[in-house]
Amino acid sequence: MWREAFVAAALAADQEVARHGLVYDGDEVLAYLRDKLARRPARYPRERRLDARR
C-alpha cells in the first residue's frame, strides 16, 4: 500500500513541475542541507525554470 502512495506522490509532483516549470538544483539543495546541519550560514537554493524540452 505504501508503494501506491509513493507513486501517487511522485505523479503529483511531476504534474506540479509540468504546470509551474520550477525546480531546485540537487547540488544546491545538498550544499544547503550540509551547511545547515553543520550550523554554518546557508544560502537557500534558488528555484530554476525547467527546460521545456523534456
Side-chain angles (χ1 to χ4, degrees):
M1 186 169 254
W2 63 270
R3 286 183 185 149
E4 290 85 4
F6 178 79
V7 170
L11 291 173
D14 189 54
Q15 289 173 351
E16 183 176 343
V17 168
R19 186 170 38 250
H20 300 288
L22 297 174
V23 295
Y24 291 101
D25 181 89
D27 292 332
E28 288 182 14
V29 172
L30 287 175
Y32 170 79
L33 292 173
R34 284 187 186 117
D35 287 343
K36 289 299 269 186
L37 288 171
R39 298 180 185 250
R40 291 188 297 251
R43 171 178 266 164
Y44 197 76
R46 294 184 316 172
E47 290 181 330
R48 301 185 185 273
R49 280 248 171 246
L50 183 64
D51 189 354
R53 294 176 286 160
R54 272 172 48 149

